Amino acid sequence: MRILNIKEWGIGIDTSRKVLIAGPCSAETEVQVQDSFEGAAIAGAQLFRAGIWKPRTRPDSFEGVGEIGLPWIMKAAAKHQLPVTVEVAKPSHVEAALKAGVHVLWIGARTTVNPFAVQDIVDSLVGVDIPVMIKNPINPDVELWIGAIERFMKKGHLKLAAIHRGFSVSNAQPYRNLPMWALPIELKRRYPQMEIICDPSHIAGNRALIPELAQKALDLEFSGWMIETHSNPSKAWSDAKQQVTGSELKNLLSNLIHRDSSSSNPEFVANLEALRYDIDKLDEEVIQMLGKRMEVVREIGKYKDQAGITILQMDRWKRIFDQRIQATLDQDLSQSFAEQFIRALHEESIRQQNAIMNQLESSRES
Ligand code: PEP
Ligand code: MN
């Protein structure tokens, strides 16, 4: 079973350039949809987006105009002869969207987190051949994302793409949702054919940060972007801070740098290979050093066991933590990397000591 590329969806999306999905966060009025799609088309959109049903955190927020908005988006899309996508969160949405002739469906982050909700949508699509884009779940769990994708694949839906919209964590500063690029990269490693679209609007949460995120997605070879565009962004009924006008979008895209993913210049290729060789060797050394460190850790575990001492000695840990962080920072590595790295090292050391002490204990018992 092969996931089909966006080019193979049969809805005329030109993938000789990066795919641009654009349109407002929400359909608000017929005129706003028309004007916003007009702007999106000027920016080069190949697929229009508009939210019709909006799952919101609080019940009294604007939850979308509902079905009444479907004819507005179909009419405005037809005018530009472009396909359109909407978010569906339950079977009744699917039914209405299909009836209206929507070309592509997308599953929002708040739905991907819920396997039963995803399964209900899959089950409502029996016998329907429509492309589906699956946003990452709001929490940073790549398995949950893959799980949602696999629910579609298991029922024979292969016109699929993933949308990376960042992850809700306690401190995502300066973003609304932390990009955690390693997660979409892991998805790509597991499903290399899966095309991934980046949604810098929902990662950023504010328009100023969209260009750098769009550039990063380009550098990581994502297939394209989903970017919210509105005819009057600051007056938008939802996500006002992160929407841009069509001409702003056109401008920001034209300022992105397109780098080649490979080069035929032999000198460049040779230099790159030499540097990659160095990296491979260094990684090997780092891993071997970690192994050696853990040997010493286990040795300490044995001594502690003999002397009946606890594993964690808080005063020593505090001292080492600060020293090691400083040493890591001195190597020009970031504070957050330094903290994560030292913590991970410490956690694994405790785990190793614990394992050896338990092993010694049970061999005494037997
Ligand atoms: C949206 O695209 O407007 C939306 C609600 O996105 P997400 O599901 O990523 O929050
Ligand atoms: Mn939105």
Side-chain angles (χ1 to χ4, degrees):
M1 269 205 309
R2 186 175 73 82
I3 294 168
L4 298 178
N5 294 328
I6 295 175
K7 186 167 68 184
E8 298 167 301
W9 287 359
I11 53 169
I13 295 181
D14 166 21
T15 53
S16 62
R17 60 183 173 101
K18 293 287 172 186
V19 174
L20 177 63
I21 306 168
C25 177
S26 308
E28 299 163 6
T29 67
E30 184 163 7
V31 173
Q32 170 262 359
V33 169
Q34 267 171 21
D35 293 350
S36 300
F37 280 9
E38 190 75 44
I42 289 169
Q46 288 134 295
L47 174 61
F48 289 130
R49 62 149 283 154
I52 293 290
W53 302 279
K54 308 292 302 173
R56 303 300 295 278
T57 309
R58 303 284 298 276
D60 41 6
S61 318
F62 168 61
E63 293 196 311
V65 292
E67 273 182 49
I68 189 186
L70 287 167
W72 308 339
I73 63 169
M74 296 317 294
K75 191 173 147 199
K79 185 175 164 220
H80 296 277
Q81 296 187 314
L82 285 175
V84 65
T85 181
V86 298
E87 174 177 350
V88 289
K90 52 185 186 178
S92 61
H93 299 163
V94 173
E95 196 187 328
L98 294 177
K99 212 160 112 198
V102 163
H103 307 88
V104 177
L105 304 176
W106 97 74
I107 310 296
R110 288 162 193 76
T111 304
T112 308
V113 285
N114 183 343
F116 282 156
V118 174
Q119 193 61 48
D120 280 348
I121 295 171
V122 174
D123 293 343
S124 71
L125 281 170
V126 173
V128 183
D129 180 29
I130 186 166
V132 182
M133 304 187 293
I134 299 145
K135 285 200 170 194
N136 65 255
I138 41 182
N139 56 324
D141 182 348
V142 77
E143 299 302 327
L144 203 50
W145 197 1
I146 289 175
I149 292 165
E150 287 177 344
R151 283 176 194 276
F152 283 93
M153 291 173 68
K154 274 182 75 133
K155 289 290 164 82
H157 294 282
L158 298 175
K159 294 179 179 171
L160 301 173
I163 302 178
H164 167 233
R165 51 77 79 197
F167 301 89
S168 177
V169 294
S170 62
N171 181 10
Q173 285 298 334
Y175 305 112
R176 173 179 172 188
N177 292 296
L178 208 60
M180 304 178 86
W181 298 99
L183 276 78
I185 290 170
E186 171 61 11
L187 170 63
K188 190 84 181 166
R189 189 184 70 78
R190 303 264 287 272
Y191 283 100
Q193 291 144 353
M194 175 65 80
E195 293 202 73
I196 308 185
I197 302 284
C198 179
D199 172 347
S201 307
H202 289 89
I203 297 175
N206 82 69
R207 39 191 157 269
L209 294 172
I210 293 176
E212 64 187 64
L213 290 163
Q215 179 69 56
K216 179 91 178 187
L218 196 56
D219 293 339
L220 290 175
E221 300 190 347
F222 278 54
S223 295
W225 316 269
M226 179 189 255
I227 300 182
E228 289 184 337
T229 45
H230 193 286
S231 48
N232 191 355
S234 59
K235 292 274 160 10
W237 298 2
S238 57
D239 288 349
K241 281 197 234 146
Q242 71 195 31
Q243 303 205 56
V244 293
T245 64
S247 53
E248 282 164 350
L249 178 57
K250 184 174 184 205
N251 191 32
L252 88 79
L253 292 176
S254 70
N255 284 328
L256 299 181
I257 303 161
H258 290 256
R259 299 180 175 98
D260 286 338
S261 60
S262 60
S263 166
S264 48
N265 174 341
E267 196 184 319
F268 170 81
V269 171
N271 286 341
L272 188 64
E273 240 163 53
L275 290 168
R276 284 185 172 155
Y277 177 77
D278 287 350
I279 289 271
D280 291 350
K281 291 217 23 158
L282 286 165
D283 279 353
E284 214 173 284
E285 280 174 31
V286 169
I287 292 164
Q288 276 175 10
M289 294 296 280
L290 285 173
K292 279 197 186 138
R293 184 190 204 276
M294 294 307 159
E295 265 173 37
V296 178
V297 160
R298 288 192 293 271
E299 203 54 32
I300 295 178
K302 283 185 205 159
Y303 279 119
K304 282 186 180 167
D305 179 71
Q306 279 166 13
I309 293 175
T310 54
I311 292 179
L312 182 65
Q313 273 124 24
M314 216 48 212
D315 52 339
R316 174 170 155 79
W317 165 233
K318 271 197 198 121
R319 210 169 352 102
I320 336 196
F321 187 73
D322 294 341
Q323 277 170 2
R324 302 285 198 273
I325 296 274
Q326 193 49 53
T328 315
L329 292 175
D330 290 346
Q331 295 296 322
D332 274 344
L333 299 161
S334 72
Q335 181 80 29
S336 89
F337 173 80
E339 285 177 15
Q340 287 180 59
F341 175 64
I342 303 302
R343 273 213 181 89
L345 201 57
H346 189 238
E347 268 166 33
E348 177 61 10
S349 302
I350 289 182
R351 199 194 61 74
Q352 295 259 353
Q353 280 194 7
N354 215 352
I356 196 97
M357 288 166 95
N358 286 342
Q359 205 181 316
L360 290 169
E361 182 63 35
S362 61
S363 65
R364 270 196 298 270
E365 277 166 9
S366 59

